Amino acid sequence: MLRRRTRRNISPMTTTDTLPTINERTWFAQQRHLEAGDMDAWADLWAPDGRMRVAYPIAGVPPELEGRETIKALMTGFASAVDGIAYREATFHPTLDPDVAFAEHLLHVDLPGGGAYENRYAMRLRFRDGLLLELVEYYGERAHEDFLRALGVID
């Protein structure tokens, strides 16, 4: 379930609910496009000079990708190698800087031939002009390593 309303602290004593920001809409839209396998629409939500990094690199996999087309190529390969992708328990946490946010979700992936991969992700996000500029992923690296092995990406 995607939670789209955001709670922001206005002062130490009060809070208010706000409408989703442009960046929040971008974040949830990229999830929907990836789930649907629409990689062109997914890539259109990235800045041309976007960057994706992982906090816990895995041997044999680049720890950082630079540029919309490079990121799109890797993610298109990932999306085509699995039977289904679903974001669960997705949340978006804006910060005082309107171009920085944190997000988290449980990623569920149906593997070819049966079985599934699930891992909880947390990300630090940077946006520019409503597009993803930088994504830094944190996840359970052992489960992610097993997932990459199941797909034949690593030995």
Side-chain angles (χ1 to χ4, degrees), residues 75-131:
M75 294 302 291
T76 298
F78 161 69
S80 66
V82 300
D83 290 342
I85 300 168
Y87 287 88
R88 298 179 177 166
E89 302 171 22
T91 58
F92 184 88
H93 308 281
T95 67
L96 293 177
D97 181 336
D99 291 326
V100 176
F102 291 87
E104 57 187 317
H105 61 260
L106 177 65
L107 182 65
H108 176 90
V109 177
D110 293 322
L111 300 173
Y117 161 75
E118 282 196 339
N119 205 343
R120 193 162 296 281
Y121 285 67
M123 285 132 304
R124 185 180 62 75
L125 309 168
R126 275 191 348 165
F127 296 86
R128 183 178 62 218
D129 300 326
L131 298 175

Side-chain angles (χ1 to χ4, degrees), residues 54 56-65 74 145 148-149 152-155:
V54 295
Y56 308 115
I58 294 173
V61 179
E64 185 170 321
L65 301 170
L74 178 108
E145 189 172 17
L148 295 175
R149 194 171 288 112
V153 174
I154 61 173
D155 295 325

Side-chain angles (χ1 to χ4, degrees), residues 125-139:
L125 309 168
R126 275 191 348 165
F127 296 86
R128 183 178 62 218
D129 300 326
L131 298 175
L132 279 159
L133 178 63
E134 182 181 48
L135 181 151
V136 180
E137 286 186 320
Y138 298 82
Y139 48 71

Side-chain angles (χ1 to χ4, degrees), residues 30-42 75-76 79-80 84-85:
Q30 70 83 33
Q31 290 182 350
R32 286 190 308 276
H33 293 316
L34 189 58
E35 287 176 330
D38 187 347
M39 301 313 292
D40 290 331
W42 181 87
M75 294 302 291
T76 298
S80 66
I85 300 168

